[in-house]
Amino acid sequence: MAKIPARAALEALRAGNRRFVSKLGLESGAPLEAGAVPPARRELPSEQEPLAIVLGCSDARVPAEIVFDQGLGDLFVIRVAGNIVAPSQIGSVEFAASAFGTRLVVVLGHSSCGAVRATLEQLARPSREQSRNLRSIVDRIRPAVEALLQSAPPADARMLEQRAVRANIRMSVDQLRRGSEVLEQLIRDEGLRVVGAEYSLETGVVEFFEGEPL
């Protein structure tokens, strides 16, 4: 099985997102309409050969295959509220990177993330009404948000949420890079790349951070 280099995979996702935005006609800033672009179908290969692994949020408005204009079998997608990193997500990334030779991992967050907003609300007004399971998600996002508040908290609530979304993406990227011996070895020896990206619900555009400070 031929391995697709991380750089080539990243360029394929960039190009796919440009096609997606173009099909929606959003260059003029028009609002994004749900269900505007149906996912393409094609003949599936006998084995998986995904060009990228995407750890994304479960938000119904951010389906990675559509956002990147990719077909069935092109992406190995892991979705969880808040694009958080827990042992099961790390194991899924390890599996895909090792079994399929995929060399690009994208942590895909998005604007107006409900899980990030819930974390900010919980920090501002602690509540015991959250279920233990919901708290487990909030608690994984909390360190990124607390670090942001301690460093340079923006005065504007909207700006705070935007920065918190990016801080959470960055934390997930760091956890994947440094929380797994398997992934660390693949990064060091096999060209695996883990990059952060944010999808805009307003425009459809995905901004890649490629591991740079957010």
Side-chain angles (χ1 to χ4, degrees), residues 84-94 140:
I84 61 172
V85 173
S88 59
Q89 281 83 56
I90 295 175
S92 296
V93 174
E94 289 178 345
R140 289 192 177 275

Side-chain angles (χ1 to χ4, degrees), residues 9-64:
L10 184 58
E11 288 306 315
L13 295 188
R14 287 186 188 278
N17 181 241
R18 287 194 294 269
R19 292 194 301 271
F20 169 73
V21 174
S22 176
K23 288 177 182 179
L24 291 179
L26 292 174
E27 295 88 345
S28 61
L32 196 158
E33 296 182 6
V37 184
R41 294 184 60 87
R42 61 173 175 77
E43 184 178 350
L44 292 176
S46 58
E47 297 183 1
Q48 292 191 65
E49 298 179 1
L51 64 91
I53 302 161
V54 179
L55 172 59
C57 183
S58 297
D59 193 299
R61 299 166 293 179
V62 195

Side-chain angles (χ1 to χ4, degrees), residues 76-210:
F76 187 94
V77 181
I78 307 153
R79 297 183 71 177
V80 60
N83 44 270
I84 61 172
V85 173
S88 59
Q89 281 83 56
I90 295 175
S92 296
V93 174
E94 289 178 345
F95 168 72
S98 299
F100 310 135
T102 307
R103 289 297 171 258
L104 177 66
V105 181
V106 178
V107 175
L108 181 63
H110 65 91
S111 60
S112 303
C113 179
V116 171
R117 185 175 299 151
T119 303
L120 289 169
E121 292 173 352
Q122 181 67 10
L123 287 172
R125 296 182 301 276
S127 170
R128 296 185 179 181
E129 295 180 2
Q130 288 183 333
S131 73
R132 180 181 63 182
N133 298 310
L134 179 55
R135 278 201 308 273
S136 70
I137 295 173
V138 169
D139 287 346
R140 289 192 177 275
I141 298 174
R142 185 192 300 268
V145 176
E146 287 180 330
L148 174 65
L149 293 174
Q150 291 169 2
S151 59
D156 179 75
R158 180 175 175 81
M159 180 63 70
L160 174 60
E161 182 176 306
Q162 290 174 344
R163 292 187 182 178
V165 165
R166 293 194 170 194
N168 184 50
I169 295 169
R170 178 173 56 200
M171 183 174 68
S172 293
V173 168
D174 288 343
Q175 289 171 337
L176 287 177
R177 286 176 175 168
R178 298 178 176 86
S180 161
E181 292 182 4
V182 172
L183 298 182
E184 288 178 9
Q185 185 274 324
L186 289 172
I187 291 170
R188 183 177 63 249
D189 302 331
E190 301 291 337
L192 180 72
R193 291 185 63 188
V194 183
V195 303
E198 182 183 357
Y199 172 73
S200 169
L201 294 176
E202 296 73 25
T203 67
V205 173
V206 173
E207 181 179 356
F208 287 93
F209 300 110
E210 299 190 49

